[in-house]
Amino acid sequence: MTVPRISGGDALVRALVAHGTELVFGIPGTHNLGIYRHLAEHDIRHVTPRHEQGAGFAADGYARVTGKVGVCLTTSGPAVLNALTAVTQSYSDSVPVLLISPGMPLRHPGRGNGTLHEVRHQSAALEAAIGYSNRVHSVAEIPLAVAQAFAHMTSGRPRPAHLEIPLDLLDAVDRISEVAPVLVAHPPADAVTIAAAAGRLNAAEKPGLIVGGGAKGAAEEITTLAERLGAPVVTTANGKGTFPEHHPLSIGAGLHHKAVAEFVAECDAVIAIGTELASTDLWNGPLRFTGDLIRIDVDPAQMITNALPDYRLVGDAQATVAALNQRLGKARTTQEPAKRAERRQKLFRKHARAQGAAWLPLVEAMQEVLAPGAIVAADSAMACYYGTLSNLRLDRPASFLYPTGFGTLGYGLPAAIGAKMGAPDRQVVALHGDGGVMFTLPELATAAQERLPLPVIICDNGGYGEIRREMADRSDPVHGVNLPGVDFAKVAEGLNCHGLTVDDQDRFAAALGKAFTADRPTVIHVVGDLAGG
């Protein structure tokens, strides 16, 4: 349908509405006012983070929890580059986030003219990092560019995208043609390969599953698969909760434990679903597959990266696992699979508890308080990857949001804001270390402005504890990692949040429970032995 002459900013907002956008995280600036003028006219909720990196992380958290595209809106130059770290994290963890920014005017010479927010090759910089950046060249092109970006993000492997609109096009007017969203199919792998893999699994005596973040849309089908095969299951950090961790066949989350390597080595057939099998999950080197490896992945290139499978099932995880289930024999009814899982689970928990011993009181208190379906938005902090990842049991997909591949600091708080905005009926908690939280601490003001009942747990070990440990392990001088103490409770109050400091398990559990029903965010500053310090 052709629309009367409208501005580029109006065309953009109309296209977002047509693609189901309900929420935008963004910060107004001189160059994007032509967009903001029309945001106010349409039914799109807007949240104003305090930094563009926070906006990107919030859009990421929203996308992970809802399965929808998260939208981040910045102005040009330093703003879009501030958001680049966040969308690169989204790229690393396969999260669909659309970053929208103005660019220099259409006919700008690009030779360093001193224009406000001028960046050489801004679009090229974004494309180099995340693989997709489209600079439009007319108002009429904007609806098409939005539709193309959404098609890119929602087909195949989810990835972020950047859309750059020259700032002079935002107020320019032209006739446009609306472009409806592209209906994207999510087909299974080819039937011949599925049949071959099913035949191998029917004959397997000791099958096992590895479930990654790319499998979270297939939770029900994976549970059926595991039960039918009698196959114990381990998950990656981003796959955590996709297979219920209270299930008798669950070994746990975290591929880096010795118990996982031993489990995989004993399997005569392993099904790896939606996982890169990358070093950021494995930590201690690649897994040794002594039996056959069956990989299910929507990305053909990833299919042969990090491990070469014997069976290559290129297709959507949910559709492929469903098709595989149809070709399997009857469910195994003996007690041996559960006993096998229990043996491996005991070893896994022994290793996990030893590694996370310093944070076990904290984790145990969280386990008591968190309701089914709770979401933990974790930062790249020792309390998260040593303490929570393998010791806190969760039972729903997208319940553990973690910056796995890129490993950014400051992710947890803004991601928790996005998650709570996307899933208001679920408990959401942010978990940080005292070093990393300083990267995005001002986002407390955002959460307070939105009146979110959000607990923000800050485990204070006096600085960058992981790097301090690595320095000591190398027998290097320990310097640059010890940070002077911050009274996070007072900072929280100054940003219109509740705040308190705790140093024992009972007080922490009580504070966490109360925070979920508070009228605003609550910062729980954890100190002493409870913080793992």
Side-chain angles (χ1 to χ4, degrees), residues 1 15 48 92 127 144 146 151 313 319 330 394 421 449 514:
M1 182 178 73
T48 308
S92 180
E127 182 159 4
L144 175 62
V146 171
L313 277 64
K330 294 181 179 180
L394 301 171
M421 302 294 292
Q449 182 175 343
K514 185 178 179 181

Side-chain angles (χ1 to χ4, degrees), residues 410-431:
Y411 174 82
L413 170 56
I417 293 171
K420 188 63 178 176
M421 302 294 292
D425 295 331
R426 295 173 67 179
Q427 288 180 340
V428 179
V429 56
L431 180 59

Side-chain angles (χ1 to χ4, degrees), residues 186-212:
H186 298 282
D190 71 278
V192 173
T193 309
I194 289 174
R200 177 64 189 91
L201 290 171
N202 281 328
E205 296 182 358
K206 291 184 177 182
L209 269 69
I210 301 175
V211 176

Side-chain angles (χ1 to χ4, degrees), residues 196-239:
R200 177 64 189 91
L201 290 171
N202 281 328
E205 296 182 358
K206 291 184 177 182
L209 269 69
I210 301 175
V211 176
K216 66 182 180 182
E220 184 177 340
E221 291 79 6
I222 288 171
T223 299
T224 299
L225 176 64
E227 291 174 347
R228 188 163 293 178
L229 291 175
V233 181
V234 294
T235 74
T236 67
N238 284 334

Side-chain angles (χ1 to χ4, degrees), residues 163-478:
L163 182 61
E164 178 176 300
I165 304 175
L167 62 92
D168 53 334
L169 293 184
L170 293 177
D171 290 323
V173 296
D174 198 356
R175 294 188 184 277
I176 67 164
S177 295
E178 294 181 347
V179 181
V182 177
L183 298 178
V184 178
H186 298 282
D190 71 278
V192 173
T193 309
I194 289 174
R200 177 64 189 91
L201 290 171
N202 281 328
E205 296 182 358
K206 291 184 177 182
L209 269 69
I210 301 175
V211 176
K216 66 182 180 182
E220 184 177 340
E221 291 79 6
I222 288 171
T223 299
T224 299
L225 176 64
E227 291 174 347
R228 188 163 293 178
L229 291 175
V233 181
V234 294
T235 74
T236 67
N238 284 334
K240 184 176 175 66
T242 299
F243 187 79
E245 292 185 275
H246 288 90
H247 194 286
L249 290 173
S250 172
I251 293 176
L255 303 189
H256 58 283
H257 295 287
K258 180 182 177 182
V260 172
E262 293 173 346
F263 161 66
V264 168
E266 80 164 12
C267 292
D268 58 358
V270 173
I271 314 157
I273 308 173
T275 171
E276 294 176 317
L277 298 174
S279 59
T280 45
D281 273 307
L282 297 171
W283 299 12
N284 300 310
L287 297 172
R288 186 169 63 94
F289 297 98
T290 57
D292 289 333
L293 174 60
I294 300 166
R295 291 188 78 169
I296 299 174
D297 205 292
V298 74
D299 184 346
Q302 187 58 53
M303 176 65 65
I304 53 174
T305 302
N306 294 326
L308 292 174
D310 300 281
Y311 298 84
R312 305 175 182 182
L313 277 64
V314 180
D316 175 76
Q318 183 179 26
T320 300
V321 176
L324 191 60
N325 284 335
Q326 293 176 358
R327 290 183 172 271
L328 294 177
K330 294 181 179 180
R332 303 180 186 187
T333 57
T334 68
Q335 295 299 311
E336 181 53 34
K339 291 179 180 178
R340 180 168 163 247
E342 184 180 13
R343 289 194 298 270
R344 289 301 171 189
Q345 186 185 88
K346 286 181 178 179
L347 288 172
F348 179 93
R349 290 185 181 172
K350 178 182 178 181
H351 295 158
R353 289 181 67 82
Q355 187 177 70
W359 299 274
L360 286 181
L362 184 85
V363 172
E364 289 166 357
M366 291 176 66
Q367 192 78 71
E368 291 178 8
V369 175
L370 295 182
I375 298 167
V376 177
D379 203 38
S380 186
M382 299 172 81
C384 301
Y385 51 76
Y386 291 142
T388 311
L389 169 59
S390 300
N391 290 295
L392 180 72
R393 288 189 283 176
L394 301 171
D395 290 329
R396 285 180 60 178
S399 55
F400 189 72
L401 314 184
Y402 181 70
T404 303
F406 203 40
T408 54
L409 290 176
Y411 174 82
L413 170 56
I417 293 171
K420 188 63 178 176
M421 302 294 292
D425 295 331
R426 295 173 67 179
Q427 288 180 340
V428 179
V429 56
L431 180 59
H432 273 274
D434 60 302
V437 76
M438 295 297 288
F439 283 56
T440 52
L441 189 65
E443 300 307 341
L444 286 174
T446 308
Q449 182 175 343
E450 297 299 325
R451 311 300 287 186
L452 301 180
L454 179 67
V456 181
I457 304 167
I458 303 174
C459 294
D460 191 342
N461 63 6
Y464 301 121
E466 176 67 22
I467 308 306
R468 182 193 299 131
R469 181 190 63 79
E470 290 181 13
M471 286 178 172
D473 287 348
R474 288 162 50 94
S475 299
D476 290 346
V478 175

